[in-house]
Amino acid sequence: MSEEDAIKIDQPQELSFEEYPEISEEIEKRHKIEKLLLEGGGHIEIDILRELARSDYGLVTDDLRRTLWPALVGVDVKCLLPAPKLCDFETHPEYNQVVLDVNRSLKRFPPGIPYEQRIALQDQLTVLIMRVICKYPDLRYYQGYHDVAVTFLLVAGEEIAFAVMDVLSTNHFSECMQETMDATQRRLLFIWPVVNFENPELFNFLQHSGVGTMFALPWYLTWFGHSLNSYKAVVRLYDYFLASPVYSPLFVTAAIILYRADELFLQDCDMASIHLLLSKLPENLPIEQLLNISSHLYDKYPMTTIKKEVERLEREDQERRKLDEKSALERRKKLARNAKSSSNYTLSHWIPQLLTPKSFIVTTAFSIFVGFCAYYYKSQYMSAGIS
């Protein structure tokens, strides 16, 4: 990706790895999953597994995720290849940028881990990313990709993490890994029809503010891994996204915007205020509630309906821009006419002032004097034989 096309995102939120005691519903869900695994010889039917990952509390623990995340994306853990060495990638043109981003990802590692272990994890993360890039030369690394990869690395280890990222990079994230971010930025427009269908007043307020969709870019690029401050919330969202269609992060984004409607209406309706509020996700978001809303929205509004609405909004925006350009052109023409009229007025105002009776007499006398002098000197030159 060229430097002009690269989109920079802010530093990630510091990730909290605080552990909480399992509540009764989580314990019940965990026991249910463990029973299904035992009955299925370590396997769960894919439709049932997806429902488990999407429903409340997801896959509950990282031990279960380590087993079930690969199954959700169709990875056979018996056919994993050993990771190459870091030095094998040092000459790749994107190596330095990947290393730079990985070195800035310390906030996404568990705090207090020994220095040697942290360095080892950083090297594993770099190798994981470079393996994908080298395997798919048509895909481009983007800033934020490492935020996704580090989550799979921490949960499942480097070999499973690579196998999962291999699959996700060719479907869920393939649009984000193009030469430019044009397709991704257009995809973010898909959040507005959902907001408009559910809350037209909020939609009009946000459109009037001119906030756009850049606040949601890190959410979409990293599956919220860059922006949330709770590790538990991040892996819960990953359960949901792995078990859902590729556009599910857009519906979660719409759910968050709708959930924060009251907050938004309290802000000044300008781009800076609204962007500042939306780009900072609050702590303790009701993740399960938001995921249930997201699932409801996805079932309620088919992608074909949303695409048509996006096209309609784009046409309206184009027509509005044409009207704005036409109005601006008319204003410029009017200003030019006023300037010309003012210039003509100044000239017509001063000419009569110059041609007063007194000025006319003086001008006439001066002209006669100049003519007489010219006639006199010409006569003198002719008499002296000078033509």
Side-chain angles (χ1 to χ4, degrees):
M1 185 180 303
S2 68
E3 192 172 316
E4 295 79 6
D5 294 322
I7 296 179
K8 303 297 182 184
I9 56 179
D10 296 333
Q11 287 291 315
Q13 293 290 314
E14 186 166 359
L15 201 59
S16 170
F17 289 82
E18 184 177 357
E19 295 184 5
Y20 301 92
E22 287 183 335
I23 62 175
S24 59
E25 290 86 353
E26 289 175 318
I27 295 173
E28 182 181 349
K29 182 80 175 285
R30 175 168 57 81
H31 287 165
K32 179 180 179 180
I33 296 172
E34 290 170 346
K35 182 181 178 182
L36 288 169
L37 281 170
L38 185 62
E39 293 173 348
H43 299 282
I44 299 176
E45 187 180 335
I46 189 63
D47 290 339
I48 296 174
L49 177 56
R50 285 173 181 157
E51 180 56 31
L52 289 168
R54 286 168 58 86
S55 60
D56 287 353
Y57 312 111
L59 301 178
V60 188
T61 71
D62 281 0
D63 285 339
L64 291 174
R65 291 182 178 104
R66 194 170 297 113
T67 299
L68 298 175
W69 275 2
L72 279 171
V73 295
V75 168
D76 185 354
V77 295
K78 296 177 183 178
C79 301
L80 299 177
L81 298 174
K85 296 180 180 179
L86 183 64
C87 60
D88 295 338
F89 303 103
E90 291 179 349
T91 58
H92 193 279
E94 297 201 72
Y95 173 80
N96 290 332
Q97 182 60 54
V98 171
V99 170
L100 181 63
D101 287 344
V102 167
N103 289 341
R104 293 189 303 188
S105 66
L106 296 182
K107 292 180 179 179
R108 314 308 284 179
F109 289 119
I113 62 173
Y115 174 78
E116 293 78 8
Q117 185 180 353
R118 177 173 61 80
I119 294 299
L121 282 171
Q122 287 180 277
D123 289 348
Q124 290 173 12
L125 180 57
T126 302
V127 170
L128 189 165
I129 295 169
M130 294 305 304
R131 289 176 76 183
V132 175
I133 295 173
C134 291
K135 184 174 180 179
Y136 301 104
D138 57 322
L139 299 180
R140 299 290 178 266
Y141 170 78
Y142 63 84
Q143 188 180 357
Y145 184 86
H146 65 289
D147 288 306
V148 181
V150 73
T151 302
F152 290 108
L153 176 64
L154 291 175
V155 171
E158 63 177 326
E159 293 180 355
I160 291 178
F162 164 71
V164 171
M165 290 301 294
D166 185 350
V167 174
L168 295 181
S169 298
T170 56
N171 47 55
H172 287 69
F173 294 107
S174 62
E175 197 171 64
C176 304
M177 301 182 76
Q178 301 306 307
E179 195 71 36
T180 73
M181 281 287 174
D182 292 345
T184 301
Q185 289 177 300
R186 186 176 188 276
R187 186 66 61 196
L188 288 174
L189 295 175
F190 283 45
I191 64 178
W192 293 134
V194 180
V195 174
N196 189 25
F197 294 151
E198 289 292 304
N199 191 334
E201 184 182 2
L202 176 61
F203 170 78
N204 291 329
F205 176 82
L206 294 173
Q207 293 300 298
H208 185 67
S209 75
V211 69
T213 58
M214 288 300 291
F215 68 88
L217 182 62
W219 305 353
Y220 190 62
L221 293 179
T222 71
W223 278 2
F224 294 85
H226 180 89
S227 305
L228 288 170
N229 56 12
S230 167
Y231 173 80
K232 184 176 182 179
V234 171
V235 292
R236 171 65 188 102
L237 280 172
Y238 279 40
D239 291 342
Y240 184 84
F241 293 144
L242 288 171
S244 303
V246 294
Y247 300 134
S248 55
L250 298 173
F251 287 89
V252 174
T253 298
I256 291 173
I257 294 171
L258 292 165
Y259 171 77
R260 304 185 71 186
D262 291 342
E263 278 184 273
L264 289 163
F265 282 132
L266 292 175
Q267 302 298 309
D268 292 332
C269 187
D270 63 79
M271 189 270 288
S273 300
I274 302 301
H275 179 85
L276 181 63
L277 176 68
L278 285 174
S279 59
K280 179 73 172 178
L281 289 174
E283 296 183 14
N284 303 318
L285 276 172
I287 296 297
E288 299 303 336
Q289 178 184 344
L290 291 170
L291 294 183
N292 287 329
I293 293 172
S294 174
S295 296
H296 170 72
L297 294 173
Y298 185 83
D299 293 338
K300 188 175 181 180
Y301 302 116
M303 287 304 297
T304 52
T305 301
I306 292 176
K307 288 178 181 178
K308 289 179 181 179
E309 183 66 8
V310 167
E311 291 170 358
R312 185 187 69 80
L313 292 173
E314 286 181 322
R315 285 195 302 271
E316 287 184 355
D317 184 62
Q318 290 175 355
E319 291 170 1
R320 186 164 49 249
R321 291 189 182 196
K322 286 179 181 179
L323 288 175
D324 290 343
E325 290 173 1
K326 184 178 179 181
S327 297
L329 180 60
E330 290 176 352
R331 284 196 299 270
R332 287 195 296 270
K333 288 181 177 179
K334 185 177 180 180
L335 288 172
R337 286 195 300 268
N338 290 342
K340 184 177 180 181
S341 175
S342 175
S343 175
N344 291 340
Y345 169 78
T346 301
L347 185 62
S348 63
H349 176 74
W350 281 104
I351 287 176
Q353 297 293 326
L354 292 171
L355 297 179
T356 59
K358 183 175 180 180
S359 64
F360 180 77
I361 294 171
V362 172
T363 304
T364 303
F366 181 75
S367 299
I368 293 172
F369 174 73
V370 170
F372 176 77
C373 290
Y375 175 77
Y376 172 77
Y377 284 113
K378 182 177 181 182
S379 300
Q380 293 297 315
Y381 290 150
M382 289 181 67
S383 62
I386 302 173
S387 59

